[in-house]
C-alpha cells in the first residue's frame, strides 16, 4: 500500500514538474513568437481537440438542418446540447449565428473546415490584462476566446440588436461574432467561449498592431528588440506621432466609428478597443488614379507577397454587400486629370461611366472597397493611398455598472489630470471618436 502511495506521489510530482517545464517553455516561446502551435506537449492540447470535435459536430447540425426564413424568438433562446466522449458542448442561438454567417457570405462548410482543420490550433499570448485564453484556428481566420458567464449572457441578451446593427451597417467595425458555446469537462467545470472573425487576417505582411482606447494611463507597450520575431500589440502612446493615411476614405471611417460607438453607448458599455494594424500596399497598388475601375482592382489584389490579381476583371467580386444602398463612384475634376471618389445611391457600373475598363466591370456592384474577394466573408480592411489597414472594435462586454462607477471615482483621485479607460459610456465613445479624428488624414 505504501509503495502504491509512493508511486502516486512520484507520478504527481512528475506531472507538476512537466507542467512547470512546459510553462517555462511557453514563456521562452513568448519571447520569440507570441503565437505558437498547441501541439501534444501543450497544456491546452486536449482542450483544443475537444473544441475541434464539439464545434465540428455543432456546425454539422446547421449543415444538415439549415434554418431558412425569418428568425423567431425560439431561435434566439435555442440551446443545442451534444454529449461527446469526455465532454459536453452546448451551442447557444445556433440558428441565429448560422444565419449571420450566411449574411457574411461564409458557407457552413468553409466555417466547419476552418474549425476542424488537421493543423494544430494556435495560442496567442497577449499583453492584455484579461485572464481569458485566446486561440486561433490553424488558418488564422477564426479567433476563439474564453469568456465569463455574465459576458456571454450580455451578448446573448443583446444579440438581436447586434444583428440589426450589422444588417444595417454590413461594414460595421464591430467584431463579427460567429458563435457562442460552452464546454463542460468532468472535474474541470464549465467554460464559456465565443467564436469570432479575426480582425488581423490575413496577417502575413502586417508590420504593426495596435490596441487603441483613446486614453493615456497604462497605454504603452515596450517594443520588441530590433530584429525580433515577437508579436507585440502596441497601445495608444506607442501610436503617438503616427497617422492613419486614408485620404478620400477618411470621412467614411470617421463616420462609421461614430455610428458604432453610438450603438455601444446605447448598450451602456465601455473599455472596448479599436484594433488597428497596417501593411504596405504592393507597388502596383500604389496608384494615384482614383478611377472606379482602379478602386475595384485595388481590392482584388491578393495578400501574399506576389500581389497578383486573384480574379479576372470580368469576374464578379464575391462578398460585396450593400450599405444603406450606396456605392463608390469617381468623378473627374473639370479641366484637370484628377479624380475624386464619393458615395452615391446604388447604381451599376454601366451607368457610372463609359470607359472601357469600367464597362468591363459592369456586373460588379462596388462600394466601400474594404473587402478581400479571395475570402467570401467581409473583412475589416481599408486601403489608403500607400497602406492597407485592418480595423475592428473588440471587447464590447464591459457594462458601466456600480463597480465601474466606483473604479472611476478611485482612478479620478489616483490619476488626477490624466485620461484613463474607466469613464462613462458617453465620454468613452466621444473620446475614441476624437482619437480617430485626430489620427487620420
Amino acid at each position: 500500500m505504501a509503495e502504491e502511495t509512493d508511486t502516486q506521489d512520484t507520478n504527481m510530482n512528475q506531472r507538476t514538474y512537466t507542467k512547470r517545464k512546459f510553462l517555462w517553455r511557453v514563456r521562452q516561446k513568448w519571447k520569440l513568437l507570441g503565437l505558437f502551435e498547441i501541439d501534444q506537449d501543450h497544456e491546452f492540447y486536449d482542450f483544443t481537440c475537444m473544441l475541434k470535435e464539439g464545434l465540428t459536430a455543432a456546425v454539422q447540425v446547421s449543415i444538415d438542418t439549415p434554418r431558412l426564413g425569418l428568425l423567431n424568438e425560439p431561435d434566439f433562446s435555442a440551446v443545442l446540447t451534444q454529449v461527446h466522449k469526455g465532454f459536453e458542448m452546448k451551442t447557444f442561438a445556433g440558428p441565429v449565428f448560422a444565419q449571420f454567417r450566411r449574411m457574411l457570405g461564409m458557407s457552413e462548410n468553409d466555417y466547419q473546415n476552418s474549425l476542424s482543420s488537421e493543423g494544430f490550433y494556435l495560442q496567442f499570448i497577449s499583453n492584455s490584462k484579461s485572464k481569458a485564453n485566446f486561440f486561433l484556428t490553424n488558418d488564422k481566420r477564426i479567433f476563439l476566446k474564453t469568456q465569463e458567464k455574465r459576458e456571454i449572457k450580455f451578448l446573448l441578451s443583446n444579440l438581436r440588436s447586434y444583428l440589426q446593427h450589422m444588417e444595417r451597417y454590413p461594414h460595421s467595425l464591430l467584431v463579427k461574432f460567429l458563435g457562442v458555446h460552452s464546454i463542460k469537462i468532468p472535474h474541470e467545470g464549465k467554460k464559456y467561449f465565443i467564436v469570432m472573425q479575426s480582425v488581423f487576417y490575413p496577417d502575413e505582411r502586417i508590420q504593426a498592431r495596435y490596441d487603441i482606447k483613446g486614453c493615456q494611463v497604462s497605454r504603452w507597450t515596450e517594443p520588441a528588440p530590433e530584429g525580433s520575431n515577437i508579436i507585440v500589440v502596441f497601445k495608444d502612446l506607442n501610436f503617438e506621432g503616427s497617422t492613419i493615411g486614408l485620404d478620400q476614405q477618411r470621412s467614411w471611417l470617421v463616420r462609421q466609428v461614430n455610428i458604432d460607438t453610438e450603438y455601444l453607448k446605447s448598450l451602456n458599455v465601455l473599455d472596448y478597443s479599436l484594433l488597428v494594424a497596417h501593411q504596405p500596399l504592393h507597388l502596383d497598388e500604389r496608384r494615384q488614379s482614383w478611377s472606379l475601375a482602379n478602386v475595384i482592382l485595388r481590392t482584388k489584389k491578393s495578400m501574399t507577397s506576389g500581389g497578383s490579381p486573384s480574379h479576372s476583371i470580368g469576374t464578379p467580386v464575391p462578398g460585396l454587400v450593400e450599405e444603406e444602398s450606396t456605392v463608390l463612384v469617381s468623378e473627374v475634376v473639370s479641366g484637370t486629370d484628377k479624380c475624386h471618389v464619393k458615395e452615391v445611391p446604388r447604381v451599376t457600373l454601366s451607368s457610372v461611366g463609359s470607359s472601357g475598363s469600367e464597362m468591363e466591370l459592369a456586373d460588379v456592384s462596388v462600394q466601400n472597397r474594404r473587402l478581400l474577394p479571395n475570402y467570401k466573408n467581409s473583412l475589416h480592411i481599408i486601403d489608403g493611398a500607400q497602406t492597407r489597414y485592418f480595423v475592428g472594435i473588440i471587447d464590447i462586454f464591459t457594462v458601466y455598472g456600480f463597480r465601474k462607477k466606483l473604479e472611476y471615482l478611485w482612478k479620478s483621485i489616483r490619476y488626477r489630470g490624466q485620461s484613463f479607460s474607466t469613464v462613462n459610456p458617453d465620454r468613452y465613445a466621444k473620446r475614441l471618436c476624437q482619437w480617430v479624428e485626430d489620427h487620420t488624414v
Side-chain angles (χ1 to χ4, degrees):
M1 188 68 174
E3 292 182 1
E4 183 178 343
T5 301
D6 290 341
T7 301
Q8 291 176 347
D9 290 342
T10 300
N11 291 338
M12 184 175 294
N13 291 335
Q14 183 64 37
R15 286 196 296 269
T16 301
Y17 170 76
T18 302
K19 186 172 183 179
R20 286 177 179 173
K21 185 177 179 181
F22 169 76
L23 291 175
W24 180 86
R25 286 174 55 204
V26 167
R27 286 192 289 271
Q28 298 309 305
K29 281 196 171 186
W30 159 238
K31 293 178 182 178
L32 297 174
L33 297 174
L35 183 69
F36 53 92
E37 289 186 332
I38 302 175
D39 58 21
Q40 290 91 337
D41 295 326
H42 196 291
E43 63 172 331
F44 287 124
Y45 176 73
D46 291 337
F47 179 69
T48 53
C49 287
M50 293 177 187
L51 289 182
K52 274 189 182 184
E53 181 182 340
L55 291 170
T56 300
V59 179
Q60 190 63 45
V61 172
S62 67
I63 293 175
D64 295 338
T65 57
R67 174 71 170 83
L68 304 176
L70 297 176
L71 296 171
N72 53 41
E73 196 57 41
D75 293 321
F76 284 86
S77 58
V79 179
L80 171 66
T81 302
Q82 294 174 301
V83 179
H84 302 266
K85 184 179 180 180
F87 70 98
E88 173 188 281
M89 181 170 287
K90 291 183 183 291
T91 300
F92 301 93
V96 179
F97 286 106
Q99 188 170 106
F100 181 54
R101 293 191 293 267
R102 286 194 293 272
M103 190 184 92
L104 298 177
M106 180 183 296
S107 76
E108 292 298 90
N109 286 320
D110 285 344
Y111 180 57
Q112 186 185 60
N113 288 338
S114 284
L115 293 171
S116 62
S117 62
E118 292 184 4
F120 298 120
Y121 274 14
L122 309 171
Q123 183 183 17
F124 177 60
I125 301 179
S126 73
N127 49 5
S128 169
K129 295 179 180 178
S130 171
K131 296 179 181 179
N133 295 311
F134 303 86
F135 307 109
L136 279 165
T137 54
N138 189 263
D139 60 9
K140 300 181 183 180
R141 292 180 64 185
I142 296 176
F143 202 86
L144 299 93
K145 180 184 178 184
T146 58
Q147 301 280 169
E148 298 291 332
K149 183 178 180 179
R150 58 179 174 79
E151 296 170 329
I152 294 296
K153 291 177 66 176
F154 175 81
L155 173 58
L156 293 175
S157 65
N158 291 286
L159 184 55
R160 188 182 294 275
S161 69
Y162 168 80
L163 293 179
Q164 289 171 345
H165 181 83
M166 300 302 283
E167 186 174 7
R168 185 176 183 185
Y169 303 102
H171 294 296
S172 165
L173 301 174
L174 297 183
V175 65
K176 295 175 174 63
F177 298 111
L178 306 177
V180 174
H181 306 265
S182 72
I183 182 169
K184 185 177 181 181
I185 305 171
H187 311 299
E188 295 186 24
K190 181 184 290 186
K191 291 184 179 181
Y192 293 88
F193 64 96
I194 55 175
V195 184
M196 303 171 286
Q197 190 177 63
S198 176
V199 175
F200 297 153
Y201 172 76
D203 72 338
E204 284 78 8
R205 297 193 302 114
I206 288 179
Q207 295 184 331
R209 300 163 173 82
Y210 296 86
D211 179 303
I212 303 297
K213 291 184 182 290
C215 58
Q216 299 172 326
V217 174
S218 300
R219 301 305 297 164
W220 168 265
T221 294
E222 196 64 33
E226 187 173 351
S228 170
N229 291 324
I230 296 175
I231 298 176
V232 175
V233 179
F234 297 113
K235 299 180 181 178
D236 300 64
L237 296 180
N238 300 93
F239 198 88
E240 290 308 305
S242 302
T243 56
I244 300 173
L246 298 179
D247 196 28
Q248 298 172 64
Q249 301 184 57
R250 176 182 181 273
S251 61
W252 178 89
L253 177 64
V254 171
R255 172 176 172 269
Q256 191 60 53
V257 171
N258 274 273
I259 290 171
D260 288 333
T261 55
E262 190 67 25
Y263 168 68
L264 295 176
K265 185 173 71 173
S266 74
L267 297 182
N268 196 38
V269 298
L270 70 157
D271 218 24
Y272 43 88
S273 297
L274 178 71
L275 293 185
V276 179
H278 63 77
Q279 64 179 206
L281 291 173
H282 293 294
L283 290 177
D284 58 347
E285 294 173 309
R286 300 179 186 180
R287 302 173 183 174
Q288 298 305 309
S289 169
W290 284 90
S291 70
L292 182 57
N294 182 44
V295 171
I296 297 170
L297 290 175
R298 289 168 68 94
T299 65
K300 295 182 68 169
K301 303 300 290 182
S302 76
M303 297 298 296
T304 61
S305 58
S308 59
S310 56
H311 299 276
S312 64
I313 290 182
T315 304
V317 180
L320 288 171
V321 291
E322 299 167 16
E323 180 175 332
E324 295 187 326
S325 300
T326 60
V327 296
L328 182 70
V329 300
S330 62
E331 291 183 342
V332 177
V333 178
S334 179
T336 73
D337 59 356
K338 297 181 179 179
C339 295
H340 71 270
V341 179
K342 68 177 183 178
E343 291 184 32
V344 299
R346 188 172 76 89
V347 291
T348 62
L349 297 191
S350 58
S351 65
V352 173
S354 57
S355 69
S357 60
E358 290 178 354
M359 288 300 291
E360 289 174 344
L361 292 163
D363 292 333
V364 183
S365 293
V366 171
Q367 60 97 15
N368 286 337
R369 62 269 165 212
R370 285 166 308 287
L371 303 181
L372 288 182
N374 289 3
Y375 315 102
K376 291 184 178 180
N377 48 319
S378 306
L379 297 171
H380 307 267
I381 291 175
I382 313 174
D383 278 1
Q386 302 292 322
T387 305
R388 174 166 292 146
Y389 297 94
F390 299 72
V391 186
I393 296 175
I394 64 166
D395 295 339
I396 65 173
F397 303 114
T398 304
V399 177
Y400 190 61
F402 180 73
R403 183 178 176 181
K404 282 295 175 181
K405 291 177 182 179
L406 287 180
E407 186 178 327
Y408 166 73
L409 293 175
W410 176 73
K411 288 185 176 180
S412 297
I413 298 171
R414 182 176 180 182
Y415 302 113
R416 187 178 299 276
Q418 301 179 64
S419 61
F420 47 84
S421 62
T422 309
V423 294
N424 69 66
D426 179 62
R427 184 177 174 187
Y428 195 95
K430 289 179 179 177
R431 191 171 63 187
L432 189 61
C433 291
Q434 188 61 53
W435 187 94
V436 174
E437 286 270 7
D438 295 341
H439 292 83
T440 53
V441 293

